[in-house]
Amino acid sequence: MFTLDLSLVRKQGKPTAFHFRAQLPALDGPDGMVSFIGPVDVETVVTYAQGQFWLDGTVSGQVELACARCLKRFAHPLKVTLAERYVQGRTVDDPEVTCVEDDLVDLTETVRQSILLALPMRALCRVECRGLCPECGQVLNEGACDCRSRTIDPRLAGLADFFKPNPKGVE
Ligand SMILES: [Zn+2]
Ligand SMILES: [Zn+2]
């Protein structure tokens, strides 16, 4: 889906840009499945230096998340930085460097992992989301319910009894 061709970088002998745009299947996120709204753009520049291919790039797109407070689904913009290094046909003792055999390097898994790491642990549709009423489930962003005004403060409950009219009407 997102495939670099390292032979192009060698041939050009200078930083080489690779742009990809693709629709990604839903990801299994920390808080359920995360689906994409529209395509994902991957823009990278690969430079060959010191025997390594240095990749710098960004991943951008939009995912649909469910708000942790009000449960509404909303569009969350993504902007993730990519920084990878590759060596070809040999191994190096460096966990930051990926060893590849081919000229063709598939970035799909790298892109997926970088998106997963960038997802918020607790998504909110907006910072000041007021969530749901615990009594009636009303979405409080859309207006107040009257649960709170109906609920009698326990400290005043005795007082309410005191003012209740006598059911028999006589003392
Ligand atoms: Zn919300
Ligand atoms: Zn309510």
Side-chain angles (χ1 to χ4, degrees):
M1 204 178 294
F2 308 118
T3 307
L4 300 173
D5 186 349
L6 298 181
S7 73
L8 290 177
V9 183
R10 270 200 314 273
K11 240 176 268 168
Q12 296 229 24
K14 59 178 179 154
T16 306
F18 293 90
H19 292 180
F20 309 100
R21 166 173 280 200
Q23 189 76 47
L24 277 184
L27 297 179
D28 198 359
D31 208 17
M33 293 307 279
V34 176
S35 51
F36 290 88
I37 303 167
V40 171
D41 283 298
V42 178
E43 304 200 13
T44 67
V45 173
V46 182
T47 307
Y48 184 72
Q50 297 150 27
Q52 299 181 355
F53 294 90
W54 303 69
L55 177 145
D56 283 296
T58 56
V59 177
S60 48
Q62 278 204 321
V63 289
E64 191 185 73
L65 297 177
C67 177
R69 285 194 199 141
C70 73
L71 311 178
K72 196 180 86 179
R73 303 195 74 84
F74 65 99
H76 174 76
L78 284 175
K79 189 94 178 172
V80 188
T81 308
L82 290 181
E84 301 290 324
R85 278 189 284 153
Y86 302 96
V87 293
Q88 213 172 15
R90 64 192 172 94
T91 53
V92 285
D93 189 19
D94 185 341
E96 304 277 291
V97 179
T98 309
C99 305
V100 294
E101 291 303 324
D102 273 348
D103 279 333
L104 300 182
V105 177
D106 186 2
L107 281 182
T108 309
E109 194 50 34
T110 306
V111 169
R112 281 168 45 90
Q113 291 301 329
S114 69
I115 293 172
L116 280 174
L117 286 174
L119 292 176
M121 291 308 287
R122 200 165 173 277
L124 293 180
C125 65
R126 54 196 211 212
V127 185
E128 70 280 14
C129 174
R130 301 177 62 207
L132 303 176
C133 169
E135 308 274 327
C136 70
Q138 159 81 18
V139 179
L140 297 176
N141 297 331
E142 290 164 9
C145 56
D146 44 34
C147 293
R148 222 154 278 200
S149 54
R150 251 194 274 129
T151 312
I152 298 168
D153 187 321
R155 285 168 301 178
L156 297 179
L159 212 56
D161 279 344
F162 184 80
F163 285 115
K164 223 183 264 171
N166 188 320
K168 292 186 190 107
V170 283
E171 212 48 55

